[in-house]
Amino acid sequence: AQTVTQSQPEMSVQEAETVTLSCTYDTSESDYYLFWYKQPPSRQMILVIRQEAYKQQNATENRFSVNFQKAAKSFSLKISDSQLGDAAMYFCAYRSAQRSYQKVTFGTGTKLQVIP
Amino acid sequence: EAGVTQFPSHSVIEKGQTVTLRCDPISGHDNLYWYRRVMGKEIKFLLHFVKESKQDESGMPNNRFLAERTGGTYSTLKVQPAELEDSGVYFCASSQDTSVYNEQFFGPGTRLTVL
């Protein structure tokens, strides 16, 4: 069974600074997807960034980028130039690339506070 | 385009009562998923519908939980009778199909409190 671990329950960052959220996972599969989801307070969860395991290049979406270390099973999220709107719960997640296994496995989340 | 909607947003019931949660997926999405987050823990998968059929129900905790998706449109998740440990946030998600990669879009969740 796959597991996802987020060891930082809470993090804080100064506005305009950079923060990195950590995530490790465990799987025996070679092909899978990794995600970071963001859930702002009282709002629905949205996808921030996605990484395909077969791609060596780290995914980037504007101010969000990941450091994907497949051998180490590590998948951290870096937020550059942090903004007040980045304050949210962030969930690291895993999904198999097999069509028959569509369920997403989540970590426990990291609550990010952005300080003005 | 309307996103995934869930009703109600909050529900407070007493132990032993019945509660039914509803999820309306994005129009045209054949896949519908239910997840649950118990306080402070990870979000856990409950089950996956493809149209009206249950593709994977490996995450359903016990037979007090019944999920249906009649007609392949909206879905309901009934908890009967509710227990204290059922408290948490129930999320619904939908996706278009299972070919290659397809993103799951999440609803805002229903917060269930069992007293």
Side-chain angles (χ1 to χ4, degrees):
Chain A
Q2 294 81 21
T3 59
V4 177
T5 302
Q6 293 178 252
S7 57
Q8 305 153 316
E10 294 188 26
M11 293 276 289
S12 62
V13 62
Q14 227 34 65
E15 196 176 1
E17 296 295 309
T18 296
V19 65
T20 299
L21 308 184
S22 301
C23 173
T24 58
Y25 61 95
D26 191 26
T27 183
S28 57
E29 296 183 312
S30 58
D31 197 12
Y32 49 86
Y33 302 104
L34 295 167
F35 311 92
W36 280 97
Y37 285 92
K38 167 186 176 182
Q39 187 181 25
S42 301
R43 294 179 61 185
Q44 54 208 94
M45 195 154 48
I46 59 172
L47 180 65
V48 173
I49 197 164
R50 173 184 93 235
Q51 175 79 44
E52 290 90 343
Y54 64 87
K55 289 187 178 178
Q56 291 188 338
Q57 186 172 8
N58 289 323
T60 300
E61 288 287 343
N62 300 313
R63 298 182 295 107
F64 298 87
S65 61
V66 298
N67 183 4
F68 173 48
Q69 302 290 328
K70 192 172 183 179
K73 294 180 181 172
S74 170
F75 183 62
S76 61
L77 174 70
K78 184 171 82 171
I79 306 174
S80 304
D81 184 26
S82 296
Q83 300 175 0
L84 295 178
D86 295 334
M89 184 72 80
Y90 286 82
F91 293 98
C92 179
Y94 170 102
R95 205 193 88 197
S96 171
Q98 293 188 56
R99 287 184 59 181
S100 56
Y101 296 101
Q102 293 291 304
K103 69 177 183 182
V104 177
T105 301
F106 290 88
T108 51
T110 297
K111 185 176 182 180
L112 179 66
Q113 180 186 22
V114 181
I115 303 166
Chain B
E1 180 183 286
V4 176
T5 56
Q6 294 186 246
F7 182 83
S9 56
H10 294 87
S11 180
V12 181
I13 61 173
E14 294 196 350
K15 176 182 172 182
Q17 289 186 321
T18 297
V19 64
T20 300
L21 314 181
R22 173 171 169 144
C23 168
D24 285 77
I26 293 172
S27 177
H29 281 194
D30 286 341
N31 295 277
L32 187 148
Y33 313 82
W34 283 99
Y35 294 86
R36 173 175 77 168
R37 185 180 190 216
V38 173
M39 182 64 70
K41 297 192 175 182
E42 69 270 27
I43 300 169
K44 284 195 171 180
F45 168 83
L46 296 178
L47 88 160
H48 169 206
F49 282 101
V50 178
K51 296 184 180 178
E52 66 274 13
S53 300
K54 292 175 184 174
Q55 176 78 12
D56 180 359
E57 52 184 329
S58 61
M60 293 289 266
N62 51 61
N63 58 11
R64 295 185 294 104
F65 288 75
L66 175 64
E68 293 181 322
R69 193 182 182 198
T70 306
T73 54
Y74 71 91
S75 174
T76 58
L77 180 65
K78 181 190 290 188
V79 185
Q80 180 182 28
E83 298 289 345
L84 299 178
E85 63 264 26
D86 300 333
S87 295
V89 181
Y90 289 76
F91 294 99
C92 176
S94 72
S95 68
Q96 193 159 22
D97 57 47
T98 57
S99 60
V100 194
Y101 168 77
N102 70 99
E103 181 180 345
Q104 292 183 22
F105 295 87
F106 284 81
T110 292
R111 182 174 295 278
L112 174 64
T113 302
V114 182
L115 303 176

